[in-house]
Short mmCIF file of all heavy atoms in Angstrom, two decimals:
data_model
loop_
_atom_site.label_atom_id
_atom_site.label_comp_id
_atom_site.label_asym_id
_atom_site.label_seq_id
_atom_site.Cartn_x
_atom_site.Cartn_y
_atom_site.Cartn_z
N GLU G 228 -16.25 9.82 2.41
CA GLU G 228 -15.51 8.52 2.99
C GLU G 228 -14.87 8.95 4.32
O GLU G 228 -14.17 9.92 4.39
CB GLU G 228 -14.46 8.07 1.91
CG GLU G 228 -13.82 6.84 2.33
CD GLU G 228 -12.89 6.34 1.18
OE1 GLU G 228 -12.39 7.13 0.42
OE2 GLU G 228 -12.66 5.03 1.10
N ASP G 229 -15.12 8.09 5.15
CA ASP G 229 -14.45 8.22 6.61
C ASP G 229 -12.98 8.10 6.49
O ASP G 229 -12.47 7.21 5.68
CB ASP G 229 -14.95 6.96 7.43
CG ASP G 229 -14.36 6.92 8.69
OD1 ASP G 229 -14.67 7.64 9.68
OD2 ASP G 229 -13.44 6.09 8.90
N GLU G 230 -12.31 9.05 7.19
CA GLU G 230 -10.82 9.18 7.04
C GLU G 230 -10.01 7.74 7.47
O GLU G 230 -9.16 7.39 6.79
CB GLU G 230 -10.38 10.23 8.05
CG GLU G 230 -8.93 10.53 7.84
CD GLU G 230 -8.37 11.71 8.87
OE1 GLU G 230 -9.30 12.42 9.31
OE2 GLU G 230 -7.22 11.88 9.10
N THR G 231 -10.67 7.08 8.46
CA THR G 231 -9.92 5.77 8.96
C THR G 231 -10.10 4.80 7.78
O THR G 231 -9.11 4.10 7.54
CB THR G 231 -10.55 5.38 10.18
OG1 THR G 231 -10.38 6.31 11.29
CG2 THR G 231 -9.92 4.07 10.64
N ARG G 232 -11.21 4.76 7.27
CA ARG G 232 -11.53 3.77 6.17
C ARG G 232 -10.63 4.12 4.96
O ARG G 232 -10.05 3.13 4.30
CB ARG G 232 -12.97 3.78 5.78
CG ARG G 232 -13.36 2.81 4.69
CD ARG G 232 -14.91 2.79 4.45
NE ARG G 232 -15.26 1.53 4.34
CZ ARG G 232 -16.48 1.07 4.34
NH1 ARG G 232 -17.39 2.00 4.08
NH2 ARG G 232 -16.79 -0.19 4.19
N TYR G 233 -10.53 5.33 4.58
CA TYR G 233 -9.69 5.77 3.46
C TYR G 233 -8.24 5.45 3.81
O TYR G 233 -7.57 4.82 2.88
CB TYR G 233 -9.89 7.27 3.27
CG TYR G 233 -8.74 7.82 2.28
CD1 TYR G 233 -8.68 7.55 0.97
CD2 TYR G 233 -7.63 8.50 2.85
CE1 TYR G 233 -7.72 8.03 0.07
CE2 TYR G 233 -6.71 9.05 2.01
CZ TYR G 233 -6.73 8.73 0.73
OH TYR G 233 -5.72 9.18 -0.11
N GLU G 234 -7.61 5.62 4.87
CA GLU G 234 -6.29 5.32 5.24
C GLU G 234 -6.12 3.96 5.22
O GLU G 234 -5.01 3.42 4.68
CB GLU G 234 -5.94 5.99 6.47
CG GLU G 234 -5.87 7.47 6.63
CD GLU G 234 -5.37 8.10 7.87
OE1 GLU G 234 -5.12 7.37 8.85
OE2 GLU G 234 -5.33 9.38 7.92
N THR G 235 -6.99 3.16 5.67
CA THR G 235 -6.90 1.67 5.59
C THR G 235 -6.83 1.18 4.27
O THR G 235 -6.06 0.35 3.89
CB THR G 235 -8.09 0.96 6.43
OG1 THR G 235 -8.01 1.45 7.71
CG2 THR G 235 -7.94 -0.45 6.33
N LEU G 236 -7.68 1.74 3.39
CA LEU G 236 -7.67 1.22 1.93
C LEU G 236 -6.44 1.60 1.22
O LEU G 236 -5.79 0.84 0.61
CB LEU G 236 -8.81 2.06 1.14
CG LEU G 236 -8.83 1.93 -0.18
CD1 LEU G 236 -9.65 0.72 -0.73
CD2 LEU G 236 -9.28 3.04 -1.05
N LEU G 237 -5.96 2.87 1.38
CA LEU G 237 -4.70 3.22 0.70
C LEU G 237 -3.50 2.41 1.22
O LEU G 237 -2.59 2.03 0.41
CB LEU G 237 -4.47 4.81 0.90
CG LEU G 237 -3.23 5.35 0.24
CD1 LEU G 237 -3.10 5.04 -1.22
CD2 LEU G 237 -3.16 6.92 0.47
N ARG G 238 -3.41 2.19 2.52
CA ARG G 238 -2.27 1.54 3.08
C ARG G 238 -2.30 0.07 2.61
O ARG G 238 -1.23 -0.45 2.20
CB ARG G 238 -2.29 1.50 4.70
CG ARG G 238 -1.21 0.76 5.32
CD ARG G 238 -1.28 0.79 6.90
NE ARG G 238 -1.28 2.12 7.48
CZ ARG G 238 -0.22 2.83 7.60
NH1 ARG G 238 0.97 2.26 7.38
NH2 ARG G 238 -0.08 3.97 8.05
N LYS G 239 -3.52 -0.56 2.61
CA LYS G 239 -3.66 -1.95 2.23
C LYS G 239 -3.26 -2.10 0.70
O LYS G 239 -2.57 -3.01 0.24
CB LYS G 239 -4.99 -2.50 2.37
CG LYS G 239 -5.19 -3.97 1.92
CD LYS G 239 -6.60 -4.48 2.28
CE LYS G 239 -6.79 -5.85 1.99
NZ LYS G 239 -8.10 -6.36 1.74
N ASP G 240 -3.76 -1.19 -0.15
CA ASP G 240 -3.51 -1.16 -1.55
C ASP G 240 -1.95 -1.04 -1.85
O ASP G 240 -1.35 -1.74 -2.53
CB ASP G 240 -4.30 -0.01 -2.18
CG ASP G 240 -3.97 -0.04 -3.76
OD1 ASP G 240 -4.75 -0.70 -4.41
OD2 ASP G 240 -3.05 0.71 -4.13
N THR G 241 -1.31 -0.07 -1.09
CA THR G 241 0.07 0.22 -1.18
C THR G 241 0.94 -0.99 -0.82
O THR G 241 1.95 -1.34 -1.45
CB THR G 241 0.36 1.53 -0.47
OG1 THR G 241 -0.39 2.53 -1.02
CG2 THR G 241 1.82 1.90 -0.70
N GLU G 242 0.54 -1.61 0.38
CA GLU G 242 1.28 -2.74 0.78
C GLU G 242 1.21 -3.91 0.00
O GLU G 242 2.15 -4.67 -0.13
CB GLU G 242 0.85 -3.02 2.27
CG GLU G 242 1.19 -2.09 3.40
CD GLU G 242 0.59 -2.30 4.73
OE1 GLU G 242 -0.41 -3.09 4.82
OE2 GLU G 242 1.09 -1.58 5.60
N GLN G 243 0.17 -4.10 -0.81
CA GLN G 243 -0.08 -5.22 -1.72
C GLN G 243 1.07 -5.21 -2.80
O GLN G 243 1.60 -6.11 -3.05
CB GLN G 243 -1.44 -5.35 -2.26
CG GLN G 243 -2.49 -6.06 -1.42
CD GLN G 243 -3.72 -6.19 -2.19
OE1 GLN G 243 -4.59 -5.36 -2.17
NE2 GLN G 243 -3.91 -7.31 -2.91
N THR G 244 1.15 -3.89 -3.38
CA THR G 244 2.23 -3.66 -4.31
C THR G 244 3.62 -3.90 -3.77
O THR G 244 4.47 -4.54 -4.38
CB THR G 244 2.02 -2.39 -5.07
OG1 THR G 244 0.75 -2.29 -5.53
CG2 THR G 244 3.17 -2.10 -6.15
N GLN G 245 3.86 -3.36 -2.56
CA GLN G 245 5.23 -3.49 -1.87
C GLN G 245 5.57 -5.05 -1.79
O GLN G 245 6.66 -5.51 -2.08
CB GLN G 245 5.22 -2.80 -0.54
CG GLN G 245 5.05 -1.30 -0.59
CD GLN G 245 6.24 -0.69 -1.14
OE1 GLN G 245 6.27 -0.29 -2.40
NE2 GLN G 245 7.35 -0.35 -0.37
N THR G 246 4.55 -5.74 -1.32
CA THR G 246 4.70 -7.19 -1.13
C THR G 246 4.89 -7.96 -2.45
O THR G 246 5.80 -8.82 -2.45
CB THR G 246 3.43 -7.85 -0.41
OG1 THR G 246 3.36 -7.10 0.87
CG2 THR G 246 3.62 -9.36 -0.23
N LEU G 247 4.09 -7.57 -3.49
CA LEU G 247 4.41 -8.22 -4.82
C LEU G 247 5.85 -8.03 -5.21
O LEU G 247 6.52 -8.96 -5.79
CB LEU G 247 3.30 -7.65 -5.85
CG LEU G 247 3.62 -8.04 -7.27
CD1 LEU G 247 3.07 -9.53 -7.46
CD2 LEU G 247 2.98 -7.17 -8.30
N ILE G 248 6.17 -6.87 -5.11
CA ILE G 248 7.59 -6.47 -5.66
C ILE G 248 8.72 -7.19 -4.81
O ILE G 248 9.61 -7.77 -5.38
CB ILE G 248 7.79 -4.98 -5.68
CG1 ILE G 248 6.82 -4.36 -6.80
CG2 ILE G 248 9.19 -4.61 -5.96
CD1 ILE G 248 6.66 -2.89 -6.67
N THR G 249 8.61 -7.08 -3.48
CA THR G 249 9.69 -7.64 -2.55
C THR G 249 9.64 -9.13 -2.63
O THR G 249 10.70 -9.83 -2.56
CB THR G 249 9.61 -7.09 -1.15
OG1 THR G 249 8.32 -7.37 -0.65
CG2 THR G 249 9.90 -5.66 -1.09
N ASP G 250 8.41 -9.77 -2.73
CA ASP G 250 8.35 -11.18 -2.85
C ASP G 250 8.96 -11.69 -4.08
O ASP G 250 9.38 -12.82 -4.18
CB ASP G 250 6.86 -11.70 -2.67
CG ASP G 250 6.32 -11.72 -1.32
OD1 ASP G 250 7.15 -11.28 -0.30
OD2 ASP G 250 5.20 -12.01 -1.04
N ALA G 251 8.89 -10.86 -5.10
CA ALA G 251 9.66 -11.28 -6.42
C ALA G 251 11.12 -11.09 -6.35
O ALA G 251 11.75 -11.40 -7.32
CB ALA G 251 9.00 -10.40 -7.49
N GLY G 252 11.68 -10.68 -5.18
CA GLY G 252 13.10 -10.64 -4.94
C GLY G 252 13.59 -9.20 -5.39
O GLY G 252 14.91 -9.07 -5.59
N LEU G 253 12.79 -8.25 -5.67
CA LEU G 253 13.25 -6.85 -6.12
C LEU G 253 13.23 -6.06 -4.79
O LEU G 253 12.50 -6.20 -3.92
CB LEU G 253 12.16 -6.33 -7.11
CG LEU G 253 12.09 -7.14 -8.38
CD1 LEU G 253 10.95 -6.67 -9.08
CD2 LEU G 253 13.36 -6.86 -9.18
N PRO G 254 13.97 -4.89 -4.95
CA PRO G 254 14.19 -4.05 -3.75
C PRO G 254 12.78 -3.28 -3.43
O PRO G 254 12.08 -3.06 -4.42
CB PRO G 254 15.23 -2.93 -4.21
CG PRO G 254 15.95 -3.66 -5.20
CD PRO G 254 15.00 -4.62 -5.87
N ALA G 255 12.64 -3.07 -2.15
CA ALA G 255 11.27 -2.48 -1.75
C ALA G 255 11.29 -1.05 -2.41
O ALA G 255 12.26 -0.25 -2.29
CB ALA G 255 11.11 -2.39 -0.27
N PRO G 256 10.22 -0.61 -2.88
CA PRO G 256 10.08 0.62 -3.64
C PRO G 256 10.05 1.82 -2.49
O PRO G 256 9.64 1.50 -1.34
CB PRO G 256 8.71 0.74 -4.33
CG PRO G 256 8.40 -0.82 -4.52
CD PRO G 256 9.08 -1.55 -3.42
N ILE G 257 10.73 2.85 -2.86
CA ILE G 257 10.85 4.02 -1.94
C ILE G 257 10.13 5.25 -2.53
O ILE G 257 10.10 6.33 -1.92
CB ILE G 257 12.29 4.35 -1.60
CG1 ILE G 257 13.13 4.74 -2.79
CG2 ILE G 257 12.85 3.19 -0.75
CD1 ILE G 257 14.44 5.28 -2.45
N CYS G 258 9.58 5.07 -3.78
CA CYS G 258 9.02 6.27 -4.53
C CYS G 258 7.46 5.65 -4.87
O CYS G 258 7.41 4.53 -5.15
CB CYS G 258 9.63 6.51 -5.81
SG CYS G 258 8.99 7.87 -6.61
N TYR G 259 6.60 6.66 -4.67
CA TYR G 259 5.27 6.38 -5.12
C TYR G 259 4.75 7.22 -6.15
O TYR G 259 4.91 8.50 -6.03
CB TYR G 259 4.33 6.45 -3.86
CG TYR G 259 2.91 5.95 -4.13
CD1 TYR G 259 2.51 4.55 -3.73
CD2 TYR G 259 1.95 6.87 -4.57
CE1 TYR G 259 1.15 4.27 -3.97
CE2 TYR G 259 0.57 6.44 -4.84
CZ TYR G 259 0.20 5.11 -4.48
OH TYR G 259 -0.99 4.62 -4.71
#
């Protein structure tokens, strides 16, 4: 897998969870 494609996938996946949590009114996660 291309490094750029991998980083984009991991960033997008992680940001989706961050958004779900913060949009629910919960504090942004700082631990993965």
